Amino acid sequence: MKLDNSLTADNINQNLLNIEYAVRGPILQRALQIERELTKGVPKPFERVVRANIGDCHALGQKPITFIRQVVALAACPALADAADVPADVKQRAREILSACTKSSVGAYSPSAGLRAVRARAAQYIAARDGGAPASSDDVFLGSGASDLIKSVLTMFVEPVDGKPPAVMIPVPQYPLFSGTLSELGLRRADYFLDEDNDWALQTCELERCWREASEHSHVRALVVINPGNPTGQVLTRENMEEIIKFAYTRNLFLLADEVYQENIVCKPFHSFKKVMHEMGAPYSSMELASFLTCSKGWAAECGLRAGYVELVRLQPRVAAAFSTARAVMQCPSVLGQCILDCVMKPPAPGEPSYPLFAEELGEIQRVLTERAETAYETFNSIPGYFCNPIDGSMFAYPRITIPEAAQAAAKELNMSPDEFYCLRLLEETGVCVVPGTGFGQLPGTFHFRTTILHPRDEFQHMMDSIRRFHLNFLDLYS
Amino acid sequence: MKLDNSLTADNINQNLLNIEYAVRGPILQRALQIERELTKGVPKPFERVVRANIGDCHALGQKPITFIRQVVALAACPALADAADVPADVKQRAREILSACTKSSVGAYSPSAGLRAVRARAAQYIAARDGGAPASSDDVFLGSGASDLIKSVLTMFVEPVDGKPPAVMIPVPQYPLFSGTLSELGLRRADYFLDEDNDWALQTCELERCWREASEHSHVRALVVINPGNPTGQVLTRENMEEIIKFAYTRNLFLLADEVYQENIVCKPFHSFKKVMHEMGAPYSSMELASFLTCSKGWAAECGLRAGYVELVRLQPRVAAAFSTARAVMQCPSVLGQCILDCVMKPPAPGEPSYPLFAEELGEIQRVLTERAETAYETFNSIPGYFCNPIDGSMFAYPRITIPEAAQAAAKELNMSPDEFYCLRLLEETGVCVVPGTGFGQLPGTFHFRTTILHPRDEFQHMMDSIRRFHLNFLDLYS
């Protein structure tokens, strides 16, 4: 009789054991458990869990953009076009997309990189965004959201160089997709710290420090920059971007620009890395670049429908070919996802039948983001022991919190980090589910949490009040 | 001035350079080029390209199942439910799925493993299929098609054991997803040959030979079995499956059952590996297993919508947890894809409003498959120098072809394999695009190609006639 499994914790790919993804980690698991307890009538000091762990706008009550959903419905079921009361431009868009599909069915495979027509639409979007910088649909690869594409791009760097293991520079704090994917791929991470005291800027001296230290034992291949920041919410200044590009050039690093929040802007202007490189001219305008966008973010916020693109510019032809072949093995991204990307790349324009409703929906989404960003900034900075930078973009706040020594000692006894302890107490006492800074990284000795900010107004106010009340009690208890 | 790219063919992940995926390889690229030439009026000895390179049913003219598309449309755009003329059970199903989504939006993230309700539906489907063998929704993970999930499962085996590099046993011929993914992951492949003279059976002595040879320099971790076969189209007998299970048990191999064509059955009964293991009793009924299904195949054939599941049974809890975390980093599969899987797992039943149309559509799909499988079998075996096993299932034929010595010499001069040369000539002379056996593997000295068989009747007959005429000319030319 066999006693052992063939696949065990000892002989499984050990990289998989090192993956951590706090956004869907232990705090969320406990929150889900509490939700079940509430359903069963277990008494709690609150009525409901407020999920603020993940940037999932529809789950927070944001309404889908009508135009997108109507186009998707007609692309899936063209027969409904006659019966359903939808505007002419919706029918027209669905027809356009279907004419790009083999035998007019979204159920046929598309090319691996996506439908040619949708890639062309993305190139037009990019060209319009970047002014003079040219964009080619050949450089645009569609995927199942940015995560899928970021993993494919990072996979290219898994190769020792001159006998040294490869490393990738990522910010701290960072979105744990990066740390998790580097773990899975067995790529070393080289952490550079964002400057919290300077609106989370990337300081060149810190980039240099990170590169030098990492280069002692590894070959640094690539630099990841997240702009607008996640979890940090800053939008980089143009000057800072130029410094970053010069640094990447000097150290011959491949730049990965996670720009998925480029449509979630509160105030400061967003510049794409591609545009800034182009405007800097030679030699920077000939650097390689990967820039990512996803329909899960921006005003579409269609997280569940998995669509995005990467623009890969100035790759060597053999490198681009290898990337394409690796993608082809996975067939193609969802064609309905590609429909959504098509709508995001070219939303209804003034004069078109769907425009008035679209403009209203878009305006509401932008109004909510701006208002919540301001409220979160003001509220957090009004709580004793809290500090929060202005939220320029994205949909998160990442306040720094003071945790009393006694609370840190209590955390240690439970074998938890102080911020994990803090977030778990917050969840247990108020039902508010945020993610501890440990999941994103932070300067040693500092503590943070990430919260989404896009809840409905009442819910958001309830959350802010809950956090304030909790923190004051927490200070009382542990001071 | 910088002269070099940071990412080159020399320093890119070398595994990516080794990936080959013939299904979307050079023959298809040439076919696409010819299509463009035809559009431009370049004269050819044929009017159109017949694509038979990929199992893409909708691209071959198969109509989508109405129930599926109506459910997807209403899930995407619930407002259409009032206006549109759709049956009550469609509305009911869309409501059920939406009630499983956070805030009733398919645009909210689902859990990483998929919506609990859809996983439960899959478990019910599996339990019904397998008679007495129990199925748990906890074991079902949803993904973006089977390819995505197969890659995730294979990733678990990337770990040397006792200092030996890991290897995975795959059939020859095989579907090149496996060889391509093993290349990307840096896993060694251990090829076992299917017995073409015995209806593509897996002979235990050949499995043993493969294992012994591979074990000299590597640690064999897993055994891949494709049933129904791709490209081979056989359905394994129950006796053969028992032999395979015993072999896997003896050698402590993890069994990966690619059972994606389980709903594409012509005649012979399909047994799942899970059912056979269960019925064999101890110790086989306690073996680990991964079984894959996709909505791209079966009667749904929704290739473009990317949905599937893996059932992972009897994994160690820490192994299952590592798999879950790695999947979580990629967020979740498309929720509209999950809708489709829900429909496939529980199609309309007798008495429900959508049933009559569904039964009619399903009947037509099954009738076409049966008829084409018989015609292909008879036609290929009537061509001099062709041999083709009966097509029990899947949607492919994989005939063995005789290629004259002179043609082999001509191929060699062009640095091509004889079957690549044959398929390229076939394409250039008739417009028929099939995939050479080299892309799937074959016994040295034998030559094959894979063709899909699901074209409309006239197109199929045109293809069969073209192949016959081409082959007779080819024999004349090179004999």
Side-chain angles (χ1 to χ4, degrees):
Chain A
M1 181 71 79
K2 183 170 78 168
L3 295 170
D4 295 333
N5 284 58
S6 72
L7 192 57
T8 68
D10 290 331
N11 70 21
I12 194 177
N13 181 341
Q14 298 294 297
N15 289 339
L16 301 184
L17 300 177
N18 299 328
I19 300 173
E20 290 186 358
Y21 190 63
V23 171
R24 290 173 183 259
I27 290 273
L28 174 64
Q29 297 314 313
R30 177 62 188 140
L32 297 175
Q33 197 175 29
I34 289 175
E35 283 181 349
R36 288 191 293 270
E37 290 172 9
L38 284 169
T39 311
K40 286 178 190 159
V42 178
K44 300 278 174 189
F46 49 87
E47 288 176 1
R48 64 185 183 286
V49 167
V50 179
R51 292 199 210 175
N53 59 298
I54 193 167
D56 188 356
C57 298
H58 291 194
L60 298 179
Q62 182 178 314
K63 294 279 166 280
I65 298 288
T66 304
F67 177 76
I68 291 179
R69 293 305 189 86
Q70 288 175 333
V71 169
V72 170
L74 294 199
C77 196
L80 291 181
D82 299 329
D85 180 26
V86 293
D89 54 345
V90 168
K91 295 181 186 179
Q92 172 62 23
R93 181 64 68 93
R95 271 198 304 271
E96 280 174 35
I97 294 168
L98 288 173
S99 74
C101 297
T102 309
K103 288 281 195 318
S104 296
S105 173
V106 294
Y109 288 120
S110 79
S112 309
L115 294 167
R116 176 59 65 180
V118 181
R119 296 168 75 197
R121 202 85 95 181
Q124 286 156 16
Y125 167 91
I126 294 165
R129 178 195 69 190
D130 292 343
S136 163
S137 59
D138 291 338
D139 295 339
V140 175
F141 295 82
L142 310 189
S144 303
S147 308
D148 167 39
L149 292 159
I150 289 170
K151 186 175 180 182
S152 285
V153 172
L154 287 174
T155 301
M156 293 198 281
F157 299 102
V158 181
E159 194 67 32
V161 178
D162 302 332
K164 285 182 170 179
V168 174
M169 287 175 62
I170 60 173
V172 173
Q174 52 103 30
Y175 174 54
L177 161 72
F178 290 100
S179 51
T181 304
L182 295 181
S183 292
E184 175 171 343
L185 296 174
L187 278 161
R188 294 190 179 193
R189 53 184 277 191
D191 290 348
Y192 66 86
F193 289 90
L194 301 178
D195 185 357
E196 184 167 15
D197 294 331
N198 281 291
D199 201 14
W200 298 112
L202 282 76
Q203 305 293 6
T204 312
C205 55
E206 168 61 9
L207 294 173
E208 277 291 340
R209 177 208 60 78
C210 169
W211 184 87
R212 279 179 200 283
E213 287 186 16
S215 296
E216 285 174 21
H217 303 290
S218 51
H219 189 102
V220 183
R221 304 288 313 264
L223 169 66
V224 170
V225 180
I226 310 174
N227 181 45
N230 175 8
T232 43
Q234 88 283 22
V235 171
L236 296 177
T237 64
R238 204 194 144 89
E239 293 66 36
N240 200 184
M241 294 174 72
E242 291 188 6
E243 291 163 357
I244 294 163
I245 290 166
K246 286 177 182 168
F247 166 77
Y249 174 77
T250 308
R251 296 305 183 187
N252 202 23
L253 301 176
F254 189 105
L255 187 58
L256 276 79
D258 175 347
E259 299 178 320
V260 300
Y261 291 100
Q262 62 188 270
E263 295 269 8
N264 302 93
I265 297 298
V266 175
C267 43
K268 268 163 110 176
F270 166 81
H271 306 281
S272 76
F273 271 99
K274 183 159 176 238
K275 176 169 178 253
V276 175
M277 279 176 170
H278 176 76
E279 292 175 357
M280 286 169 76
Y284 310 106
S285 54
S286 63
M287 289 171 69
E288 297 147 292
L289 174 71
S291 164
F292 303 90
L293 179 142
T294 173
C295 298
S296 301
K297 310 303 169 189
W299 42 263
E302 293 283 10
C303 300
L305 302 184
R306 318 308 300 131
Y309 76 67
V310 60
E311 188 191 16
L312 277 172
V313 296
R314 297 182 283 270
L315 257 53
Q316 278 199 351
R318 286 187 61 195
V319 168
F323 182 83
S324 294
T325 305
R327 296 286 303 171
V329 177
M330 293 292 115
Q331 302 293 2
C332 68
S334 162
V335 176
L336 287 178
Q338 297 183 46
C339 292
I340 293 158
L341 184 63
D342 193 81
C343 296
V344 171
M345 296 292 93
K346 187 175 183 293
E352 293 172 359
S354 293
Y355 182 74
L357 178 57
F358 171 71
E360 188 187 317
E361 293 171 338
L362 181 63
E364 172 64 12
I365 289 167
Q366 289 172 334
R367 196 189 59 69
V368 168
L369 174 62
T370 305
E371 189 188 291
R372 299 295 182 279
E374 285 167 7
T375 308
Y377 170 73
E378 284 165 17
T379 306
F380 284 139
N381 284 310
S382 75
I383 300 177
Y386 268 59
F387 168 78
C388 186
N389 271 311
I391 301 160
D392 304 329
S394 86
M395 50 186 71
F396 307 109
Y398 195 65
R400 185 171 68 211
I401 48 179
T402 307
I403 299 185
E405 293 288 339
Q408 296 190 36
K412 199 168 181 182
E413 278 196 16
L414 294 166
N415 206 16
M416 301 175 90
S417 68
D419 55 335
E420 284 171 336
F421 176 71
Y422 184 92
C423 292
L424 186 62
R425 294 313 314 152
L426 175 68
L427 174 64
E428 298 287 351
E429 291 176 28
T430 69
V432 172
C433 174
V434 298
V435 184
T438 307
F440 306 92
Q442 51 203 346
L443 206 63
T446 68
F447 306 108
H448 301 75
F449 63 78
R450 188 188 82 167
T451 178
T452 55
I453 58 171
L454 291 182
H455 304 73
R457 187 199 297 261
D458 289 353
E459 184 85 337
F460 187 69
Q461 202 52 57
H462 163 72
M463 180 169 82
M464 291 287 119
D465 293 345
S466 300
I467 291 174
R468 177 196 297 275
R469 204 173 53 246
F470 165 79
H471 186 71
L472 297 177
N473 282 339
F474 190 84
L475 288 185
D476 273 356
L477 198 60
Y478 290 104
S479 293
Chain B
M1 182 72 80
K2 183 171 77 167
L3 295 171
D4 295 333
N5 284 58
S6 72
L7 191 58
T8 68
D10 289 332
N11 70 21
I12 194 177
N13 181 341
Q14 298 293 298
N15 289 339
L16 300 185
L17 300 178
N18 299 329
I19 300 173
E20 290 186 359
Y21 190 61
V23 171
R24 289 172 183 260
I27 290 273
L28 174 64
Q29 296 314 313
R30 177 62 189 139
L32 298 174
Q33 198 175 25
I34 290 175
E35 283 180 348
R36 287 191 294 270
E37 290 171 9
L38 284 169
T39 311
K40 285 178 190 159
V42 178
K44 300 277 174 191
F46 49 85
E47 288 177 0
R48 63 186 184 284
V49 168
V50 179
R51 293 201 211 173
N53 59 297
I54 194 166
D56 187 357
C57 298
H58 291 193
L60 299 179
Q62 182 178 312
K63 295 278 165 282
I65 297 287
T66 304
F67 177 76
I68 291 180
R69 294 304 189 87
Q70 288 175 334
V71 169
V72 170
L74 294 199
C77 195
L80 292 181
D82 299 329
D85 180 28
V86 293
D89 53 346
V90 168
K91 296 181 185 180
Q92 172 63 22
R93 181 66 67 95
R95 272 197 303 271
E96 281 175 33
I97 294 169
L98 288 173
S99 74
C101 297
T102 309
K103 288 283 196 317
S104 296
S105 173
V106 293
Y109 288 121
S110 79
S112 309
L115 294 167
R116 176 59 65 180
V118 181
R119 295 169 76 197
R121 202 86 93 179
Q124 286 156 16
Y125 167 91
I126 294 165
R129 179 195 69 190
D130 292 343
S136 163
S137 59
D138 291 338
D139 295 338
V140 176
F141 296 81
L142 311 189
S144 303
S147 309
D148 165 41
L149 293 159
I150 288 171
K151 186 175 180 181
S152 286
V153 171
L154 287 174
T155 301
M156 293 198 281
F157 298 102
V158 181
E159 194 68 30
V161 178
D162 302 331
K164 285 182 171 180
V168 173
M169 287 175 63
I170 60 173
V172 173
Q174 52 103 29
Y175 174 53
L177 160 72
F178 290 100
S179 52
T181 304
L182 294 181
S183 291
E184 175 170 343
L185 296 174
L187 277 161
R188 295 192 179 193
R189 52 185 277 191
D191 291 349
Y192 65 88
F193 288 90
L194 300 178
D195 185 358
E196 184 167 16
D197 294 330
N198 281 291
D199 200 13
W200 299 112
L202 282 76
Q203 304 293 6
T204 311
C205 54
E206 169 60 10
L207 293 173
E208 276 292 339
R209 178 208 60 78
C210 169
W211 184 88
R212 279 180 199 282
E213 287 186 16
S215 295
E216 285 175 19
H217 303 290
S218 51
H219 190 102
V220 183
R221 304 289 312 265
L223 170 65
V224 170
V225 181
I226 310 175
N227 181 45
N230 175 7
T232 43
Q234 87 282 22
V235 171
L236 296 178
T237 64
R238 202 194 148 89
E239 294 66 36
N240 199 184
M241 294 174 72
E242 292 189 7
E243 290 164 356
I244 295 163
I245 291 166
K246 286 177 181 168
F247 166 78
Y249 173 78
T250 307
R251 296 305 182 187
N252 203 23
L253 301 176
F254 190 104
L255 187 57
L256 276 80
D258 175 347
E259 298 177 320
V260 300
Y261 291 99
Q262 63 188 268
E263 295 269 7
N264 302 93
I265 297 298
V266 175
C267 43
K268 268 162 106 178
F270 166 82
H271 305 281
S272 76
F273 272 100
K274 182 156 176 240
K275 176 169 178 254
V276 175
M277 279 175 169
H278 176 76
E279 291 175 358
M280 285 169 77
Y284 311 105
S285 54
S286 64
M287 289 170 68
E288 298 147 292
L289 174 71
S291 164
F292 303 90
L293 179 142
T294 173
C295 298
S296 302
K297 310 304 169 188
W299 43 263
E302 293 282 11
C303 300
L305 302 184
R306 319 307 300 131
Y309 76 66
V310 59
E311 188 189 16
L312 277 172
V313 296
R314 297 182 282 270
L315 257 52
Q316 278 199 351
R318 284 188 62 197
V319 168
F323 181 83
S324 295
T325 304
R327 296 285 304 172
V329 176
M330 293 293 113
Q331 302 294 2
C332 68
S334 162
V335 176
L336 287 177
Q338 298 182 45
C339 291
I340 293 158
L341 184 64
D342 194 81
C343 296
V344 171
M345 296 291 93
K346 187 174 183 295
E352 293 172 358
S354 293
Y355 182 74
L357 178 57
F358 170 71
E360 188 187 319
E361 292 170 338
L362 181 63
E364 172 64 11
I365 289 166
Q366 289 172 333
R367 194 190 60 69
V368 168
L369 174 62
T370 305
E371 189 189 290
R372 298 297 183 276
E374 284 168 8
T375 308
Y377 170 72
E378 284 165 16
T379 306
F380 284 138
N381 284 311
S382 76
I383 300 177
Y386 268 59
F387 167 77
C388 186
N389 271 310
I391 301 160
D392 304 329
S394 84
M395 51 186 69
F396 306 108
Y398 195 64
R400 185 171 70 212
I401 49 179
T402 307
I403 298 186
E405 292 288 338
Q408 296 190 35
K412 201 170 181 182
E413 278 196 15
L414 294 167
N415 207 17
M416 300 175 90
S417 67
D419 55 334
E420 284 170 337
F421 176 70
Y422 184 92
C423 291
L424 187 61
R425 294 314 314 154
L426 176 67
L427 174 63
E428 297 288 350
E429 292 176 29
T430 68
V432 172
C433 174
V434 298
V435 185
T438 308
F440 306 93
Q442 50 204 347
L443 207 61
T446 68
F447 306 108
H448 301 74
F449 63 77
R450 188 188 82 168
T451 179
T452 55
I453 59 171
L454 291 182
H455 305 73
R457 187 198 299 259
D458 290 352
E459 184 85 337
F460 188 67
Q461 201 52 57
H462 163 71
M463 180 169 83
M464 291 287 118
D465 294 346
S466 301
I467 291 174
R468 177 196 297 275
R469 204 173 52 247
F470 165 79
H471 186 72
L472 296 177
N473 282 339
F474 190 84
L475 288 184
D476 273 356
L477 197 60
Y478 290 103
S479 291

